[in-house]
Amino acid sequence: MKQRLGALTLVVRDYDEALTYYTEVLGFEKREDTPLGEGKRWVVVTPPGAQETSLLLAQAATPAQVASVGNQAGGRVFLFLHTDDFWRDYHAFRRRGVQFLEEPRQEAYGTVAVFADLYGNRWDLLEPIHP
């Protein structure tokens, strides 16, 4: 049996704002942007070269969803962006205005630094020692 995570839902304030950030600032690829009616869209992005998991950008539609924007993991690191070249991506992200919450550090598992996306969700940018 083989299973995999196909997509993770990321609740966002606005489709277009999120799509712009993830494609222009983080360099993700837009895989789909399909209208579903009544203002809803199916918006999917992936990191460059990703074949497995994608992000489904879902615009908040209820007060509870609005309250979760930027805090989907209760203040913990929510998503882990693996890279094959930490320093390339770290410097590119900084040039494009990504807010890193700490200095890069070397850990037993790889080179890592925490950054916040435009909503405040915490991410690890990580070059693992063993990809």
Side-chain angles (χ1 to χ4, degrees), residues 39-71:
K40 291 185 180 181
R41 291 160 51 188
W42 187 261
V43 180
V44 178
V45 296
T46 62
Q51 300 299 311
E52 295 271 335
T53 308
S54 57
L55 280 180
L56 172 66
L57 304 178
Q59 186 169 291
T62 67
Q65 291 173 7
V66 170
S68 74
V69 172
N71 193 28

Side-chain angles (χ1 to χ4, degrees), residues 8-11 22 55 70-81 114-115 117 120-124:
L8 298 170
T9 299
L10 183 65
V11 180
Y22 284 99
L55 280 180
N71 193 28
Q72 294 189 159
R76 295 186 61 117
V77 169
F78 176 51
L79 297 164
F80 297 78
L81 181 59
V114 176
F115 69 92
D117 68 15
N121 293 302
R122 293 168 159 255
W123 292 63
D124 267 3

